[in-house]
């Protein structure tokens, strides 16, 4: 279990680092550009990931429920300095998951209770996929680290169909023949590489 926790924390840190690299690559004239997430601009996408990171200390460290937090992280959480806002939120999320015993806790998510390890794994998957979205939107390198892609693919495969039903992700598409792990991951979540 300890090795699994260390691997999970490592993947979480790596996923945040990849997304951070992409956030810091956003030019001032790109914040309103479209992304593969059809409803979101670059700013909307970064705002979404930043808000997700803001939830982590509240749920993991403070033991709050989604109801307790309410709408505290709705709307614009980026303010006038989006890159700084992202950095602060990502640092706090990483710290919360890395606290001794944090991944042994139960968290109270919008859909009910879940082990903190499952929550952390979902956060890794989301950061990985959205790092690709942001890369595509801003013209950054789209190739993601293999270890992160494999982790995200293993994580999302069992519940990918449910994500499509939720409306939060596009329906899966058929990957091209001879596809890579990254192409399969993206296709599973309705994206064309």
């Amino acid at each position: 279990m300890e090795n699994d926790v260390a691997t999970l924390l490592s993947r979480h840190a790596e996923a945040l680092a990849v997304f951070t690299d992409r956030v810091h690559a956003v030019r001032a004239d790109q914040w309103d550009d479209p992304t593969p997430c059809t409803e979101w601009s670059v700013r909307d996408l970064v705002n979404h990931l930043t808000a997700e990171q803001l939830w982590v200390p509240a749920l993991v460290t403070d033991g709050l429920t989604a109801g307790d937090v309410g709408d505290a992280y709705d709307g614009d959480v980026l303010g006038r300095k989006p890159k700084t806002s992202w950095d602060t939120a990502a640092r706090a999320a990483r710290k919360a998951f890395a606290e001794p015993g944090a991944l042994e806790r139960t968290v109270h998510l919008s859909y009910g209770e879940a082990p903190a390890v499952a929550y952390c794994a979902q956060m890794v998957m989301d950061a990985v996929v959205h790092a690709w979205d942001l890369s595509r939107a801003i013209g950054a390198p789209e190739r993601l680290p293999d270890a992160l892609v494999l982790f995200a693919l293993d994580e999302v495969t069992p519940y990918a169909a449910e994500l499509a039903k939720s409306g939060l992700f596009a329906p899966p598409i058929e990957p091209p023949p001879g596809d890579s792990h990254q192409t399969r991951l993206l296709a599973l979540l309705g994206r064309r590489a």
Side-chain angles (χ1 to χ4, degrees), residues 100-180:
L103 293 178
E104 297 167 15
R105 298 177 188 147
T106 298
V107 292
H108 307 279
L109 304 174
S110 59
Y111 58 82
E113 291 186 350
V117 291
Y119 177 43
C120 186
Q122 291 168 9
M123 294 290 281
V124 172
M125 183 278 299
D126 205 44
V128 169
V129 172
H130 287 317
W132 180 86
D133 292 331
L134 188 53
S135 298
R136 169 129 318 167
I138 66 170
E142 294 179 13
R143 185 80 199 130
L144 301 171
D146 288 338
L148 283 177
V149 169
L150 287 170
F151 181 94
L153 188 58
D154 287 346
E155 168 61 25
V156 76
T157 297
Y159 57 84
E162 295 304 311
L163 288 177
K165 288 180 194 171
S166 74
L168 299 175
F169 286 86
I173 58 174
E174 190 66 33
D179 60 326
S180 68

Side-chain angles (χ1 to χ4, degrees), residues 73-84:
Y73 305 123
D74 288 358
D76 179 31
V77 297
L78 295 179
R80 292 184 5 195
K81 297 184 177 180
K83 294 176 184 182
T84 301

Side-chain angles (χ1 to χ4, degrees), residues 79-95:
R80 292 184 5 195
K81 297 184 177 180
K83 294 176 184 182
T84 301
S85 297
W86 162 259
D87 290 344
T88 301
R91 236 184 340 269
R94 185 175 175 191
K95 181 180 175 188

Side-chain angles (χ1 to χ4, degrees), residues 32-42 44-45 130 132-134 136-137 167-171 189-192:
D32 292 326
D33 287 356
T35 70
C37 304
T38 55
E39 303 296 315
W40 288 344
S41 67
V42 167
D44 295 332
L45 176 61
H130 287 317
W132 180 86
D133 292 331
L134 188 53
R136 169 129 318 167
L168 299 175
F169 286 86
L189 297 171
R191 290 152 169 85
R192 292 191 192 282

